[in-house]
Amino acid sequence: MTDSGAAPAGTGREIILLVGAVGAGKGTQAAILSAELGLPHVASGNLFREALRDGTPLGEDAREYMQRGELVPDDLTIQMVMERLARPDAVAGAILDGFPRTVRQAEALDETLAAQGERIDRVVFIEVPMDVLVRRVSGRWICPTCGTTYHLGTDPPRLAGRCDNDGTELVQRDDDRPEVVSARMAKQIPPMDAVIDHYEAAGIVTRVDGQRPIAEVTAAIREALGQGAASR
Ligand code: AP5
Ligand code: MG
């Protein structure tokens, strides 16, 4: 119970965080869980890419950072994600993919939720070794229409080069060029580790072996979420 008499934390929306390095499978798993749980998939990277595509001021501000493989500044990112979480479809909760990525973002999220008598339910850390990450990202193709992610080796579309859902021609992400991937790893893994430490202190992190096939990773995450619910 807060000083103001608000409802106890944990009784509000179901907020699940998926954390992992570039190519760990956050987006793949978030899309599956979003459909299963009926919660929106809120991916900060997708929000930035939409803003870039739509030519908004936010997209213009984010462009240079994304092209260099750097994190977009906290203020811009926090504001964008908080606005997204305030939309009506997130009233029951959300699956957050790629946010928070810094301790400052994590603290901002914690504070916003606490002000509403809410808290994060579970943080799932998808762990994948570096060499596997590089192979994953180099084989990734995405649908620019619906955002579905494929992998030429492990999760190919039924018809080569076309999205299973809408037939759109698949594309590769601009920031999946090898030199940008290296920069993303070098610059973004240390702050991600600090975010994990932040939530480890709260005892809400479950580590999942992300090297396994997609369906097995999903099963492990489901189990983690079941444990999370049971421990509340
Ligand atoms: P973002 O889009 O979030 O990129 P990322 O974190 O680098 O992660 P990815 O989307 O590359 O990987 P993923 O974990 O989603 O993997 P996926 O499921 O696609 O961010 C882009 C940029 O935006 C950042 O660099 C930054 O500039 C900015 N940004 C975003 N959020 C920010 C924030 N909070 N703060 C500041 N800046 C921010 O899978 C990868 C591939 O592997 C796919 O081909 C998939 O089919 C395959 N695959 C997945 N799982 C498996 C499996 N189990 N086995 C085999 N293959 C698999
Ligand atoms: Mg992603």
Side-chain angles (χ1 to χ4, degrees):
M1 187 72 73
T2 67
D3 290 347
S4 62
T11 56
R13 297 182 286 183
E14 183 168 18
I15 305 285
I16 298 161
L17 309 191
L18 297 187
V19 180
V22 41
K26 302 179 297 293
T28 301
Q29 296 299 333
I32 296 168
L33 293 167
S34 167
E36 280 188 11
L37 301 175
L39 297 174
H41 171 187
V42 175
S44 42
N46 291 351
L47 293 171
F48 283 130
R49 279 184 289 278
E50 282 166 26
L52 262 176
R53 188 195 56 209
D54 296 345
T56 68
L58 173 69
E60 286 309 311
D61 287 342
R63 180 193 304 275
E64 60 180 294
Y65 298 98
M66 295 175 77
Q67 285 178 342
R68 286 200 299 258
E70 293 172 9
L71 290 173
V72 178
D74 283 335
D75 290 343
L76 284 178
T77 308
I78 290 166
Q79 186 183 351
M80 173 185 76
V81 175
M82 294 312 159
E83 283 174 8
R84 176 66 189 84
L85 286 177
R87 286 194 359 214
D89 68 335
V91 69
I95 298 170
L96 281 172
D97 155 8
F99 180 91
R101 291 267 245 279
T102 65
V103 170
R104 193 159 152 240
Q105 292 177 17
E107 288 170 348
L109 177 63
D110 292 347
E111 284 162 19
T112 300
L113 294 177
Q116 297 162 3
E118 298 171 335
R119 67 177 179 189
I120 292 155
D121 290 86
R122 180 108 326 235
V123 178
V124 177
F125 180 21
I126 305 176
E127 293 187 289
V128 178
M130 206 69 95
D131 56 324
V132 179
L133 294 173
V134 172
R135 280 204 299 278
R136 290 219 183 143
V137 175
S138 59
R140 170 167 57 190
W141 288 77
I142 57 170
C143 172
T145 302
C146 72
T148 300
T149 300
Y150 300 89
H151 189 279
L152 292 189
T154 57
D155 188 21
R158 285 193 293 272
L159 184 65
R162 296 276 168 188
C163 178
D164 290 350
N165 299 328
D166 48 42
T168 307
E169 194 172 345
L170 302 179
V171 297
Q172 284 192 292
R173 272 170 47 175
D174 282 346
D175 62 351
D176 277 351
R177 285 173 287 128
E179 65 276 18
V180 185
V181 170
S182 304
R184 285 159 70 195
M185 288 185 172
K187 291 175 182 168
Q188 300 189 24
I189 290 179
M192 178 195 77
D193 287 339
V195 168
I196 294 295
D197 290 346
H198 172 83
Y199 290 118
E200 288 277 19
I204 56 172
V205 177
T206 301
R207 290 167 187 262
V208 165
D209 176 4
Q211 283 189 82
R212 290 176 288 167
I214 291 171
E216 289 183 25
V217 178
T218 309
I221 295 175
R222 270 194 218 109
E223 197 185 326
L225 298 180
Q227 286 163 1
S231 68
R232 279 206 300 278

Tab-separated table of all heavy atoms in Angstrom, residues 27 49 97 140 173, ligand 2:
chain	number	residue	atom	x	y	z
A	27	GLY	N	11.893	-10.056	-30.195
A	27	GLY	CA	10.744	-9.745	-31.054
A	27	GLY	C	9.983	-10.997	-31.453
A	27	GLY	O	8.743	-11.001	-31.462
A	49	ARG	N	11.383	2.615	-35.622
A	49	ARG	CA	11.370	2.356	-37.074
A	49	ARG	C	10.097	2.907	-37.721
A	49	ARG	O	10.136	3.456	-38.824
A	49	ARG	CB	11.523	0.852	-37.367
A	49	ARG	CG	12.972	0.378	-37.309
A	49	ARG	CD	13.132	-1.075	-37.683
A	49	ARG	NE	12.614	-1.974	-36.682
A	49	ARG	CZ	13.268	-2.339	-35.580
A	49	ARG	NH1	14.485	-1.894	-35.359
A	49	ARG	NH2	12.718	-3.149	-34.702
A	97	ASP	N	9.384	-5.181	-25.318
A	97	ASP	CA	10.507	-5.795	-26.045
A	97	ASP	C	11.531	-4.700	-26.323
A	97	ASP	O	11.266	-3.779	-27.080
A	97	ASP	CB	9.911	-6.419	-27.325
A	97	ASP	CG	10.891	-6.567	-28.484
A	97	ASP	OD1	12.093	-6.348	-28.316
A	97	ASP	OD2	10.404	-6.906	-29.587
A	140	ARG	N	18.386	-12.713	-40.780
A	140	ARG	CA	17.034	-12.196	-40.481
A	140	ARG	C	16.460	-11.402	-41.658
A	140	ARG	O	17.120	-10.532	-42.223
A	140	ARG	CB	17.092	-11.295	-39.249
A	140	ARG	CG	15.778	-10.541	-39.033
A	140	ARG	CD	15.680	-9.895	-37.695
A	140	ARG	NE	16.759	-8.978	-37.417
A	140	ARG	CZ	16.976	-8.447	-36.228
A	140	ARG	NH1	16.198	-8.770	-35.211
A	140	ARG	NH2	17.967	-7.614	-36.042
A	173	ARG	N	16.903	-5.286	-42.292
A	173	ARG	CA	16.963	-4.017	-41.564
A	173	ARG	C	18.256	-3.282	-41.886
A	173	ARG	O	19.313	-3.899	-41.987
A	173	ARG	CB	16.873	-4.285	-40.051
A	173	ARG	CG	15.456	-4.323	-39.558
A	173	ARG	CD	15.326	-4.822	-38.153
A	173	ARG	NE	16.236	-4.249	-37.162
A	173	ARG	CZ	16.166	-4.525	-35.874
A	173	ARG	NH1	15.220	-5.339	-35.420
A	173	ARG	NH2	17.016	-3.992	-35.027
B	2	MG	MG	13.541	-7.038	-32.240
